[in-house]
Amino acid sequence: YGLDASESLLEVARERLPDADLRVGEMEQLPYDDDSFDLVTGFNSFFFAADLVAALSEARRVAKPGATVLIQVWGRPEHCDLEAMKQVARRYAASPPADAPPPPKLWEAGVLERLAGEAGLTAQTAFDTSYAFEYRDDETLGRLLTAPMGLAELAGPEREHALRQEIVDALGPYRSADGSYRLRNEFHYLITRA
């Protein structure tokens, strides 16, 4: 089972997992029954939620009692090569209200644990790890990195090409001699129980 707000990312997933039940939707309103899953994971997802506590509450709701809910969020920005892409994305995303508090630093000790607790989850273990995303060329990099947060839709068809080019340009320092990219990123994990 899988859910994403981006149809284009789901198309990639469907190519790789044709028998999976993959749906378009929002994390804050999961299209599954209560107590459906033995394990609920959110990889590269929860930090995109408009309401993180609501998304975590939904993860708890669809998890069977006592099931593991694994939460993954970005690590420290200075340890994420994709921070350059995120800077480009912020120019296309809607600006928060002027009086909105700054987003929480989810990688800092205790922050994610507090939010998970507000969602009714019991924190077990937190840890950080790093791994790399690899893209074979400019076209692949631009196509796949305009899908998160619905960036291509936010930019609109008239600006999508420019957005892709801005992302490719911003990540130019990570381009290898063969034209591929390897972007190392740190992630913060919290294992919880429903």
Side-chain angles (χ1 to χ4, degrees):
Y1 295 88
L3 177 119
D4 201 289
S6 169
E7 181 60 45
S8 58
L9 285 180
L10 286 172
E11 288 172 15
V12 172
R14 285 183 185 112
E15 289 173 13
R16 296 178 181 177
L17 301 166
D19 296 329
D21 179 347
L22 303 174
R23 304 178 190 186
V24 174
E26 298 295 332
M27 290 176 278
E28 295 90 342
Q29 296 180 323
L30 296 175
Y32 307 109
D33 293 334
D34 294 357
D35 306 331
S36 293
F37 300 103
D38 296 315
L39 171 67
V40 177
T41 63
F43 293 99
N44 302 321
S45 59
F46 284 120
F47 43 72
F48 290 123
D51 182 336
L52 180 58
V53 172
L56 294 174
S57 294
E58 277 291 278
R60 179 192 44 76
R61 179 186 67 76
V62 302
K64 293 178 181 176
T68 297
V69 176
L70 177 87
I71 306 163
Q72 178 217 35
V73 296
W74 290 111
R76 294 167 288 181
E78 63 272 18
H79 294 167
C80 292
D81 293 346
L82 276 173
E83 189 61 30
M85 174 272 206
K86 292 191 285 181
Q87 296 296 328
V88 171
R90 287 183 188 107
R91 292 196 298 269
Y92 287 83
S95 298
D99 60 345
K105 295 177 179 176
L106 300 173
W107 60 89
E108 289 185 347
V111 173
L112 196 53
E113 290 85 345
R114 177 181 56 78
L115 295 169
E118 289 177 25
L121 295 165
T122 303
Q124 302 287 303
T125 305
F127 61 95
D128 297 327
T129 191
S130 295
Y131 57 88
F133 293 159
E134 295 181 351
Y135 305 91
R136 70 175 168 249
D137 54 31
D138 290 355
E139 190 281 325
T140 304
L141 178 80
R143 180 174 50 86
L144 293 179
L145 291 184
T146 55
M149 299 182 351
L151 280 177
E153 289 84 15
L154 288 172
E158 67 283 349
R159 297 190 309 160
E160 183 177 353
H161 179 74
L163 168 62
R164 285 184 184 201
Q165 191 58 54
E166 283 185 60
I167 290 171
V168 168
D169 291 346
L171 295 172
Y174 304 101
R175 185 181 299 117
S176 300
D178 67 358
S180 66
Y181 294 80
R182 188 168 198 277
L183 306 167
R184 190 155 186 82
N185 299 285
E186 178 181 88
F187 292 93
H188 180 65
Y189 292 80
L190 179 63
I191 298 171
T192 69
R193 295 275 177 212

